[in-house]
Amino acid sequence: MTDTELEEGLKAENSKILKVFMDGLNVDEEFAQALSDAGFSSLEEVAYVPTEELTAIEGLDEETAKQLQQNALASVEKKAQEKQEAGLEELTKLEGIDRVLAARLVAKGIKNGEELADQAIDDLTDIEGLDEKKAGEIIMAARNEYWFKDQSEAVTKK
């Protein structure tokens, strides 16, 4: 990697961080840059860092720091909720999975169909209302969709 490529990569990464801060914290670019310059690179860091670390930034008082943390936490929670909803939607599209079962899978840490396809039957049998037979069926539904779909479509076209 050349120096120019490295510099361009760093600029692109910094631009992404600034955009995350501007959108998630509702701050201007200058303020986002001050956070980045202070070593912050994610909303999670801003949300969960001790307030004193934020107030160490020149010109940032405790009230503003607390408001930033509230904004960051709200953004982090919103993003987590959106991910969970997307996972529920994706899982309910698979044969044999209703919204209740999808919610139980998500609660177990299985956030999407690809992650379900990676499971073994034994990984799922502790979920309420899911016996070995049903666990095997939903795992195979996920594998058929995420692992074997392209292969079966290629065979069908021949």
Side-chain angles (χ1 to χ4, degrees):
M1 182 179 275
T2 66
D3 288 343
T4 304
E5 291 172 331
L6 177 61
E7 189 175 319
E8 287 175 4
L10 291 172
K11 282 182 182 177
E13 185 64 27
N14 189 54
S15 291
K16 287 179 189 176
I17 292 169
L18 295 181
K19 180 159 178 36
V20 166
F21 287 158
M22 291 185 317
D23 293 345
L25 300 174
N26 195 26
V27 297
D28 63 17
E29 186 172 356
E30 186 178 328
F31 201 95
Q33 186 64 55
L35 288 169
S36 178
D37 290 346
F40 293 96
S41 61
S42 72
L43 292 172
E44 290 83 2
E45 290 174 344
V46 175
Y48 299 115
V49 72
T51 307
E52 298 79 37
E53 288 191 37
L54 288 170
T55 57
I57 298 172
E58 187 177 329
L60 189 58
D61 61 26
E62 188 171 341
E63 183 179 329
T64 304
K66 286 182 179 182
Q67 183 62 52
L68 276 177
Q69 288 187 301
Q70 287 175 355
N71 291 354
L73 187 58
S75 291
V76 168
E77 288 174 351
K78 180 181 177 190
K79 184 178 174 184
Q81 182 65 31
E82 288 170 352
K83 260 185 149 173
Q84 182 175 358
E85 281 299 318
L88 288 171
E89 271 306 306
E90 184 176 328
L91 289 168
T92 57
K93 289 180 183 176
L94 295 171
E95 186 177 327
I97 300 179
D98 61 14
R99 191 137 177 102
V100 172
L101 180 54
R104 289 179 181 153
L105 291 167
V106 169
K108 181 154 176 80
I110 301 165
K111 299 175 207 79
N112 57 47
E114 186 70 42
E115 288 182 7
L116 177 58
D118 284 336
Q119 302 300 307
I121 291 172
D122 292 348
D123 297 330
L124 303 182
T125 54
D126 63 334
I127 296 175
E128 182 183 338
L130 199 57
D131 59 17
E132 285 185 13
K133 183 177 187 263
K134 179 74 172 176
E137 290 171 356
I138 65 171
I139 290 169
M140 282 311 299
R143 289 178 180 172
N144 286 334
E145 180 65 27
Y146 293 95
W147 291 2
F148 308 132
K149 185 177 182 177
D150 293 337
Q151 293 172 354
S152 66
E153 287 175 359
V155 169
T156 305
K157 289 180 183 179
K158 287 185 180 180

